[in-house]
């Protein structure tokens, strides 16, 4: 008697894991070797960067373009080998920009005076839509979610603050509420009605704030890791918060924290980064990417199983200090060359098999 059987043939693809009896657990290649594919030189050094699709946005650093000087750029990276500035505007009169994020058709940038919003529907001619003052903060960061902008910054003088801003009408943003603590606020992430704020002792390394009522945000939980003085950067992947924590002797650690229970978050993993210069995080797929400025590296970690987080590679970059990553591209601001470097990071990302079944008799 003859029977039919299926032969599973796998093609390695950068995609989501398959739920299949033929699926195999294929991890990253043993050698993680991104390659530099393009570079754009600047006349001034931007302070922050954001990326969506084939466009990169930078804030800060005075750029001379012909007979104008600007500090907000739109860069087309469709051809990564030849990135090109296609649009620009200025923060003149708005204060010095600190951070920049993209949300839909708008760019949101924090400055020393508050929050500025630019319309990028026409990327070749971004338009300033509004500015709103946010008193008492500096060195601020912003995230945008569901029609709200969340801004944190360290206070000087006075406490640090989290602002909740209604940006459903980009021309007329409105402060809905705020939350203050005496400790410095460094970074934030948002999921639904929960804001995760990176801070330092004694308030806790991480504050978890409920903004269901934006007029009266409430702290519902904290997380503190023994030996960690502060958390400087955070990113979310599902219910896992990925953070950079710094010890008293300025040694950085990668922390993976389960935030399923907001009241009682718990540590899943800690990795010593053996560095004092880790200062930026991006998450793409199953990978967390850390920028280590002191050693000039991008560090790649497999976070597909958060409690088993492990290093899968690193790549040397000349004087990096801020970056963004999406799909298979990392866009890195480089200090010594005053430039934007574009890197293909495909072989550092998770690879999963695509199954093709071939029937045999």
């Amino acid at each position: 008697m003859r029977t039919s059987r299926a032969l599973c043939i796998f093609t390695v693809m950068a995609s989501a894991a398959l739920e299949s009896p033929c699926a195999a657990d294929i991890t990253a290649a043993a050698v993680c070797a991104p390659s530099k594919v393009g570079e754009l030189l600047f006349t001034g050094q931007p302070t922050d960067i954001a990326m969506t699709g084939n466009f990169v946005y930078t804030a800060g650093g005075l750029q001379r373009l012909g007979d104008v000087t600007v500090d907000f750029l739109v860069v087309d990276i469709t051809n990564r080998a030849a990135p090109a500035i296609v649009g620009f505007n200025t923060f003149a009169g708005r204060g010095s920009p600190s951070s920049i994020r993209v949300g839909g058709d708008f760019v949101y940038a924090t400055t020393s005076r508050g929050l500025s919003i630019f319309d990028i529907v026409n990327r070749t001619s971004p338009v300033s839509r509004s500015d709103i003052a946010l008193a008492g903060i500096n060195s601020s960061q912003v995230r945008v979610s569901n029609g709200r902008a969340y801004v944190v910054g360290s206070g000087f003088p006075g406490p640090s603050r989290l602002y909740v801003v209604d940006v459903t009408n980009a021309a007329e943003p409105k402060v809905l509420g705020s939350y203050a603590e005496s400790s410095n606020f460094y970074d934030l992430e948002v999921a639904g009605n929960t804001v995760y704020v990176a801070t330092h002792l004694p308030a806790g390394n991480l504050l978890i704030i409920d903004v269901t009522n934006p007029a009266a945000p409430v702290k519902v939980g904290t997380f503190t890791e023994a030996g960690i003085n502060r958390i400087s950067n955070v990113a979310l992947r599902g219910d896992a918060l990925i953070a950079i924590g710094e010890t008293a002797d300025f040694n950085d650690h990668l922390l993976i924290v389960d935030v399923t229970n907001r009241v009682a978050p718990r540590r899943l993993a800690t990795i010593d980064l053996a560095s004092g210069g880790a200062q930026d995080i991006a998450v793409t797929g199953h990978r967390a990417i850390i920028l280590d400025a002191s050693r000039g590296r991008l560090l790649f970690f497999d976070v597909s199983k958060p409690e088993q987080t492990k290093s899968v590679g690193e790549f040397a970059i000349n004087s990096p200090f801020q970056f963004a990553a999406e799909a298979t591209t990392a866009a890195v601001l480089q200090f010594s060359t005053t430039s934007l470097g574009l890197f293909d990071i495909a072989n550092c990302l998770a690879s999963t098999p695509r199954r093709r079944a071939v029937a045999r008799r």
Side-chain angles (χ1 to χ4, degrees):
M1 181 179 66
R2 294 181 298 181
T3 58
S4 297
R5 59 178 179 170
L7 172 65
C8 293
I9 301 175
F10 295 96
T11 303
V12 174
M13 299 287 289
S15 60
L18 295 175
E19 296 181 359
S20 164
C22 292
D25 182 13
I26 297 178
T27 58
V31 177
C32 176
S35 57
K36 190 170 188 176
V37 291
E39 186 171 27
L40 176 64
L41 298 178
F42 295 132
T43 58
Q45 186 64 70
T47 56
D48 201 16
I49 183 173
M51 177 169 61
T52 58
N54 290 321
F55 292 91
V56 166
Y57 305 85
T58 69
L62 295 178
Q63 316 295 331
R64 188 70 181 174
L65 301 178
D67 58 354
V68 300
T69 301
V70 297
D71 52 2
F72 170 51
L73 300 179
V74 182
V75 181
D76 188 337
I77 62 168
T78 304
N79 180 357
R80 296 185 302 179
I85 297 170
V86 294
F88 56 85
N89 207 308
T90 180
F91 286 94
R94 297 179 172 89
S96 302
S98 298
S99 70
I100 184 171
R101 287 294 184 273
V102 181
D105 292 330
F106 299 94
V107 162
Y108 302 84
T110 60
T111 73
S112 53
R113 297 185 181 181
L115 178 69
S116 297
I117 303 175
F118 292 88
D119 186 326
I120 53 169
V121 170
N122 180 356
R123 293 185 177 90
T124 62
S125 184
V127 176
S128 173
R129 284 298 178 215
S130 61
D131 303 282
I132 184 168
L134 301 175
I137 62 173
N138 56 59
S139 301
S140 47
Q141 295 289 324
V142 61
R143 298 292 185 274
V144 183
S145 177
N146 296 325
R148 296 178 185 171
Y150 300 87
V151 179
V152 296
S154 297
F156 184 78
S160 295
R161 290 178 173 85
L162 161 69
Y163 281 101
V164 184
V165 183
D166 183 347
V167 293
T168 50
N169 181 354
E172 295 183 1
K174 299 177 181 178
V175 173
L176 300 177
S178 64
Y179 176 88
E181 282 267 12
S182 60
S183 58
N184 290 330
F185 290 174
Y186 301 109
D187 198 10
L188 77 162
E189 271 291 5
V190 181
N193 287 319
T194 304
V195 180
Y196 303 90
V197 179
T199 181
H200 75 289
L201 296 173
N205 302 147
L206 180 73
L207 304 182
I208 302 174
I209 300 172
D210 189 310
V211 291
T212 303
N213 178 3
V218 177
K219 180 170 67 177
V220 294
T222 63
F223 171 81
T224 299
E225 174 71 3
I228 299 296
N229 274 17
R230 71 163 182 161
I231 287 177
S232 58
N233 298 85
V234 289
L236 274 173
R237 183 180 182 273
D239 290 324
L241 186 130
I242 302 162
I244 297 172
E246 182 183 278
T247 64
D249 59 356
F250 305 107
N251 186 47
D252 293 327
H253 290 69
L254 176 64
L255 304 175
I256 311 297
V257 182
D258 182 348
V259 293
T260 305
N261 182 348
R262 301 185 306 171
V263 176
R266 63 187 182 93
R267 177 178 60 83
L268 296 176
T270 303
I271 297 177
D272 188 345
L273 298 176
S275 168
Q279 62 185 53
D280 208 356
I281 304 176
V283 175
T284 177
H286 297 313
R287 295 292 183 260
I289 309 171
I290 305 288
L291 185 147
D292 181 351
S294 66
R295 295 190 299 160
R297 296 281 191 275
L298 283 184
L299 310 176
F300 295 82
F301 295 89
D302 182 349
V303 292
S304 57
K305 298 177 180 178
E307 68 281 4
Q308 299 175 21
T309 294
K310 60 184 178 180
S311 171
V312 292
E314 62 180 55
F315 182 63
I317 296 178
N318 183 24
S319 63
F321 72 96
Q322 293 289 347
F323 85 111
E326 185 172 293
T328 61
T329 301
V332 183
L333 294 178
Q334 297 179 255
F335 184 76
S336 64
T337 52
T338 317
S339 67
L340 167 69
L342 297 177
F343 298 84
D344 188 321
I345 59 173
N347 66 11
C348 278
L349 302 180
S351 296
T352 56
R354 182 180 67 187
R355 181 174 65 86
R356 184 176 63 197
V358 180
R360 285 186 176 176
R361 288 191 174 186

